[in-house]
């Protein structure tokens, strides 16, 4: 065999080897892409585990029972709001009024129980009813008048916060002036050094209920179908308008429950909180692997996403990182999560 032939064979072998390596690399990437597409919760779970391990190494106090119970307590309100937000984002919508509904509901509950002299159980029910009605208003504007969810909830965000200031006269209602039931969600059960608040228990039960509802009921399947392709869902006989209305209404109720948990968390009902709750709830949903384009994700991922936010803020604080850089880290995580979501959506079945 001549030198030219040997060179040709060598070049061909090199090309074949390069092609093999490329196909192997692409095959691995595709496997990861398909895995994350079929199991959206795996990515956020891996991030949470790595973050816990890393922060535990940086500061030994992080993994203490007292600190972990504090992290759970801090994310309870946001996680409950994010649960309602998840239902809406699964339908390819968004709710910018989540925090406003929660805070307004908490003020109404507190005023019913104090100024109006309504019995505490009834005050809670009235607050839940008001939150549900606010969510229903969002749903009606989206489904009946066909306004974009972003515009609708941006408008109601301003309306609800304004009404909140008017009704409360911008004054805080102290927990000491309320019946014990109003602040009960802030009480905790000691489990060794770990303290589990009743608000956290309510939050976890709600996540369990909606994880079941989305996975095993017709309503849940309709929510996913509406978010994935509303026109195909309509042609399949799903009444997408009713599904959307039910989602916004249910979210309003969940926001009101978050308002009750907020009263226990603060031991008061303040009209001056909640300005950051909307973005925090959306952040938890996005970090949890739910697609902003609808039809993919779940509430368990949202719970993990809320925990990621809490773990990062607490861990960075224990590490001595300034607050501004804590926000930078969370924002960077959101951008990475959305980029990964875009990559996963390109998967070919």
């Amino acid at each position: 065999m001549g030198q030219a032939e040997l060179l040709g064979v060598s070049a061909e072998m090199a090309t074949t080897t390069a092609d093999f390596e490329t196909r192997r690399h692409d095959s691995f990437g595709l496997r990861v892409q398909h895995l994350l597409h079929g199991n959206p919760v795996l990515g956020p779970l891996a991030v949470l585990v790595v973050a816990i391990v890393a922060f535990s190494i940086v500061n030994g106090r992080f993994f203490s029972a007292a600190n972990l119970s504090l992290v759970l307590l801090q994310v309870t309100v946001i996680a409950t709001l994010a649960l309602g937000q998840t239902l809406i984002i699964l339908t390819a919508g968004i709710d910018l009024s989540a925090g406003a509904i929660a805070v307004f509901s908490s003020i109404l509950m507190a005023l019913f129980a104090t100024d109006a002299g309504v019995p505490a159980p009834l005050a809670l029910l009235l607050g839940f009813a008001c939150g549900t009605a606010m969510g229903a208003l969002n749903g009606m504007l989206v489904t009946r008048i066909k306004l974009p969810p972003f515009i609708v909830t941006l408008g109601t965000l301003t309306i609800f916060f304004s009404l909140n200031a008017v009704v409360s006269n911008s004054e805080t209602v102290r927990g000491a002036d309320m019946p014990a039931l109003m602040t009960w969600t802030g009480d905790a059960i000691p489990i060794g050094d770990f303290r589990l608040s009743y608000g956290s228990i309510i939050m976890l039960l709600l996540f369990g209920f909606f994880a079941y509802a989305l996975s095993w009921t017709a309503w849940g399947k309709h929510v996913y179908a509406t978010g994935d392709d509303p026109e195909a869902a309509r042609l399949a006989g799903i009444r997408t308008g009713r599904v959307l209305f039910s989602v916004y209404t249910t979210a309003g109720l969940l926001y009101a429950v978050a308002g009750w948990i907020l009263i226990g968390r603060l031991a008061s009902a303040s009209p001056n909180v909640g300005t950051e709750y909307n973005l925090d709830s959306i952040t938890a949903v996005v970090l949890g692997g739910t697609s902003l384009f609808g039809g993919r994700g779940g509430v368990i991922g949202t719970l993990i996403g809320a925990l990621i936010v809490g773990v990062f803020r607490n861990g960075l604080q224990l590490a001595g990182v300034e607050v501004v850089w804590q926000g930078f880290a969370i924002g960077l995580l959101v951008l990475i999560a959305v980029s990964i979501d875009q990559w996963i959506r390109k998967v070919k079945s």
Side-chain angles (χ1 to χ4, degrees):
M1 183 179 293
Q3 185 176 4
E5 292 177 338
L6 286 173
L7 291 174
V9 171
S10 298
E12 184 177 351
M13 290 177 62
T15 302
T16 302
T17 302
D19 289 344
F20 174 76
E21 291 295 330
T22 301
R23 286 196 299 269
R24 187 174 67 174
H25 176 75
D26 290 344
S27 177
F28 176 75
L30 285 173
R31 285 199 298 271
V32 173
Q33 196 176 24
H34 278 277
L35 180 63
L36 293 178
H37 185 272
N39 304 275
V41 75
L42 290 181
L45 183 59
V47 172
L48 179 61
V49 171
V50 170
I52 291 175
V53 172
F55 287 126
S56 298
I57 294 173
V58 171
N59 191 313
R61 288 185 301 159
F62 176 83
F63 205 67
S64 66
N67 188 63
L68 292 180
S69 58
L70 176 62
V71 171
L72 181 60
L73 182 63
Q74 289 173 337
V75 304
T76 295
V77 173
I78 296 302
T80 307
L81 290 174
L83 177 57
Q85 190 78 252
T86 302
L87 300 179
I88 292 174
I89 291 179
L90 282 174
T91 62
I94 199 164
D95 192 348
L96 301 179
S97 66
I101 293 177
V103 174
F104 193 22
S105 297
S106 71
I107 289 295
L108 291 174
M109 292 175 196
L111 293 179
F112 283 139
T114 54
D115 292 359
V118 174
L122 182 56
L124 283 179
L125 291 177
L126 289 173
F128 293 161
C130 290
T132 304
M134 286 183 267
L137 174 62
N138 285 338
M140 184 184 68
L141 292 173
V142 169
T143 58
R144 299 292 178 86
I145 306 182
K146 306 297 183 184
L147 295 177
F150 181 89
I151 300 301
V152 167
T153 57
L154 180 62
T156 55
L157 160 70
T158 306
I159 291 171
F160 296 150
F161 265 132
S162 298
L163 289 176
N164 175 39
V166 171
V167 171
S168 66
N169 290 319
S170 297
E171 296 178 353
T172 298
V173 182
R174 297 185 307 163
D177 298 330
M178 303 182 213
L181 180 61
M182 304 301 297
T183 57
W184 172 76
T185 55
D187 297 339
I189 302 172
I191 306 174
D193 292 332
F194 188 85
R195 295 180 61 82
L196 181 63
S197 72
Y198 290 108
S200 297
I201 293 173
I202 292 172
M203 179 268 291
L204 292 172
L205 290 174
L206 287 172
F207 268 91
F209 174 80
F210 280 96
Y212 171 82
L214 287 172
S215 299
W216 299 102
T217 67
W219 177 78
K221 297 181 187 305
H222 291 174
V223 168
Y224 279 105
T226 300
D228 187 47
D229 191 333
E231 183 60 22
R234 187 185 65 81
L235 293 175
I238 297 174
R239 306 187 73 169
T240 56
R242 285 192 176 184
V243 172
L244 288 174
F245 182 78
S246 70
V247 163
Y248 281 91
T249 303
T250 303
L253 174 59
L254 290 171
Y255 301 154
V257 174
W260 180 32
I261 296 174
L262 179 62
I263 293 176
R265 173 79 176 89
L266 302 176
S268 64
S270 174
N272 303 314
V273 299
T275 54
E276 74 283 1
Y277 287 169
N278 301 318
L279 290 180
D280 282 351
S281 66
I282 296 171
T283 297
V285 176
V286 172
L287 291 179
T290 296
S291 174
L292 288 171
F293 301 96
R296 192 181 67 84
V299 298
I300 301 302
T302 294
L303 178 58
I304 295 173
L307 289 173
I308 289 173
V309 174
V311 164
F312 263 80
R313 285 184 174 162
N314 181 271
L316 291 172
Q317 186 175 10
L318 288 177
V321 177
E322 295 181 7
V323 175
V324 64
W325 291 110
Q326 296 175 28
F328 176 87
I330 299 299
L332 184 61
L333 277 176
V334 171
L335 292 177
I336 293 172
V338 173
S339 299
I340 292 174
D341 174 60
Q342 289 284 64
W343 176 64
I344 292 173
R345 287 178 63 85
K346 295 178 181 177
V347 69
K348 295 180 180 179
S349 302

